[in-house]
mmCIF file of all heavy atoms in Angstrom:
data_model
loop_
_atom_site.group_PDB
_atom_site.id
_atom_site.type_symbol
_atom_site.label_atom_id
_atom_site.label_comp_id
_atom_site.label_asym_id
_atom_site.label_seq_id
_atom_site.Cartn_x
_atom_site.Cartn_y
_atom_site.Cartn_z
ATOM 1 N N TRP A 624 -51.645 -24.008 187.438
ATOM 2 C CA TRP A 624 -52.072 -24.109 188.838
ATOM 3 C C TRP A 624 -50.880 -24.146 189.797
ATOM 4 O O TRP A 624 -50.979 -23.728 190.952
ATOM 5 C CB TRP A 624 -52.930 -25.365 188.986
ATOM 6 C CG TRP A 624 -53.304 -25.751 190.379
ATOM 7 C CD1 TRP A 624 -54.147 -25.106 191.231
ATOM 8 C CD2 TRP A 624 -52.849 -26.925 191.085
ATOM 9 N NE1 TRP A 624 -54.254 -25.803 192.419
ATOM 10 C CE2 TRP A 624 -53.478 -26.911 192.348
ATOM 11 C CE3 TRP A 624 -51.998 -27.984 190.759
ATOM 12 C CZ2 TRP A 624 -53.257 -27.918 193.292
ATOM 13 C CZ3 TRP A 624 -51.779 -28.978 191.681
ATOM 14 C CH2 TRP A 624 -52.401 -28.937 192.943
ATOM 15 N N LEU A 625 -49.738 -24.607 189.301
ATOM 16 C CA LEU A 625 -48.557 -24.741 190.150
ATOM 17 C C LEU A 625 -47.900 -23.390 190.430
ATOM 18 O O LEU A 625 -47.809 -22.534 189.549
ATOM 19 C CB LEU A 625 -47.546 -25.679 189.482
ATOM 20 C CG LEU A 625 -48.008 -27.129 189.271
ATOM 21 C CD1 LEU A 625 -46.982 -27.906 188.475
ATOM 22 C CD2 LEU A 625 -48.289 -27.816 190.611
ATOM 23 N N LYS A 626 -47.423 -23.229 191.654
ATOM 24 C CA LYS A 626 -46.740 -22.007 192.066
ATOM 25 C C LYS A 626 -45.223 -22.189 191.945
ATOM 26 O O LYS A 626 -44.732 -23.287 191.681
ATOM 27 C CB LYS A 626 -47.108 -21.677 193.521
ATOM 28 C CG LYS A 626 -48.602 -21.484 193.769
ATOM 29 C CD LYS A 626 -48.894 -21.303 195.252
ATOM 30 C CE LYS A 626 -48.528 -22.550 196.042
ATOM 31 N NZ LYS A 626 -48.853 -22.405 197.493
ATOM 32 N N ASN A 627 -44.500 -21.108 192.162
ATOM 33 C CA ASN A 627 -43.046 -21.143 192.089
ATOM 34 C C ASN A 627 -42.475 -22.211 193.024
ATOM 35 O O ASN A 627 -42.784 -22.236 194.212
ATOM 36 C CB ASN A 627 -42.479 -19.773 192.476
ATOM 37 C CG ASN A 627 -40.971 -19.712 192.306
ATOM 38 O OD1 ASN A 627 -40.444 -20.085 191.264
ATOM 39 N ND2 ASN A 627 -40.280 -19.241 193.330
ATOM 40 N N GLY A 628 -41.663 -23.120 192.461
ATOM 41 C CA GLY A 628 -41.043 -24.169 193.262
ATOM 42 C C GLY A 628 -41.884 -25.405 193.466
ATOM 43 O O GLY A 628 -41.435 -26.370 194.113
ATOM 44 N N ASP A 629 -43.115 -25.429 192.941
ATOM 45 C CA ASP A 629 -43.941 -26.631 193.040
ATOM 46 C C ASP A 629 -43.399 -27.727 192.120
ATOM 47 O O ASP A 629 -42.520 -27.495 191.282
ATOM 48 C CB ASP A 629 -45.395 -26.308 192.706
ATOM 49 C CG ASP A 629 -46.132 -25.645 193.861
ATOM 50 O OD1 ASP A 629 -45.675 -25.775 195.013
ATOM 51 O OD2 ASP A 629 -47.164 -24.994 193.614
ATOM 52 N N PHE A 630 -43.983 -28.931 192.266
ATOM 53 C CA PHE A 630 -43.393 -30.125 191.655
ATOM 54 C C PHE A 630 -44.203 -30.651 190.469
ATOM 55 O O PHE A 630 -45.434 -30.690 190.510
ATOM 56 C CB PHE A 630 -43.292 -31.266 192.673
ATOM 57 C CG PHE A 630 -42.408 -30.982 193.859
ATOM 58 C CD1 PHE A 630 -42.391 -31.874 194.937
ATOM 59 C CD2 PHE A 630 -41.607 -29.844 193.932
ATOM 60 C CE1 PHE A 630 -41.594 -31.644 196.037
ATOM 61 C CE2 PHE A 630 -40.794 -29.602 195.032
ATOM 62 C CZ PHE A 630 -40.793 -30.507 196.101
ATOM 63 N N VAL A 631 -43.480 -31.111 189.444
ATOM 64 C CA VAL A 631 -44.039 -31.923 188.366
ATOM 65 C C VAL A 631 -43.332 -33.270 188.419
ATOM 66 O O VAL A 631 -42.096 -33.328 188.413
ATOM 67 C CB VAL A 631 -43.829 -31.279 186.984
ATOM 68 C CG1 VAL A 631 -44.299 -32.235 185.869
ATOM 69 C CG2 VAL A 631 -44.565 -29.954 186.886
ATOM 70 N N ILE A 632 -44.102 -34.356 188.483
ATOM 71 C CA ILE A 632 -43.540 -35.705 188.538
ATOM 72 C C ILE A 632 -43.985 -36.476 187.297
ATOM 73 O O ILE A 632 -45.185 -36.592 187.026
ATOM 74 C CB ILE A 632 -44.014 -36.474 189.797
ATOM 75 C CG1 ILE A 632 -43.613 -35.721 191.071
ATOM 76 C CG2 ILE A 632 -43.453 -37.887 189.810
ATOM 77 C CD1 ILE A 632 -44.217 -36.311 192.343
ATOM 78 N N SER A 633 -43.039 -37.005 186.560
ATOM 79 C CA SER A 633 -43.363 -37.860 185.408
ATOM 80 C C SER A 633 -43.133 -39.314 185.790
ATOM 81 O O SER A 633 -42.053 -39.670 186.279
ATOM 82 C CB SER A 633 -42.492 -37.501 184.202
ATOM 83 O OG SER A 633 -42.826 -38.322 183.097
ATOM 84 N N VAL A 634 -44.139 -40.152 185.552
ATOM 85 C CA VAL A 634 -44.025 -41.556 185.953
ATOM 86 C C VAL A 634 -43.366 -42.413 184.879
ATOM 87 O O VAL A 634 -42.988 -43.554 185.153
ATOM 88 C CB VAL A 634 -45.402 -42.161 186.319
ATOM 89 C CG1 VAL A 634 -46.086 -41.329 187.383
ATOM 90 C CG2 VAL A 634 -46.293 -42.308 185.088
ATOM 91 N N SER A 635 -43.217 -41.887 183.662
ATOM 92 C CA SER A 635 -42.630 -42.683 182.586
ATOM 93 C C SER A 635 -42.109 -41.776 181.482
ATOM 94 O O SER A 635 -42.490 -40.603 181.387
ATOM 95 C CB SER A 635 -43.666 -43.653 181.996
ATOM 96 O OG SER A 635 -44.662 -42.928 181.289
ATOM 97 N N ALA A 636 -41.254 -42.357 180.644
ATOM 98 C CA ALA A 636 -40.760 -41.619 179.479
ATOM 99 C C ALA A 636 -41.907 -41.300 178.523
ATOM 100 O O ALA A 636 -41.921 -40.248 177.880
ATOM 101 C CB ALA A 636 -39.678 -42.430 178.771
#
Side-chain angles (χ1 to χ4, degrees):
W624 172 69
L625 297 174
K626 301 174 296 182
N627 185 49
D629 281 340
F630 298 171
V631 174
I632 301 172
S633 181
V634 305
S635 69

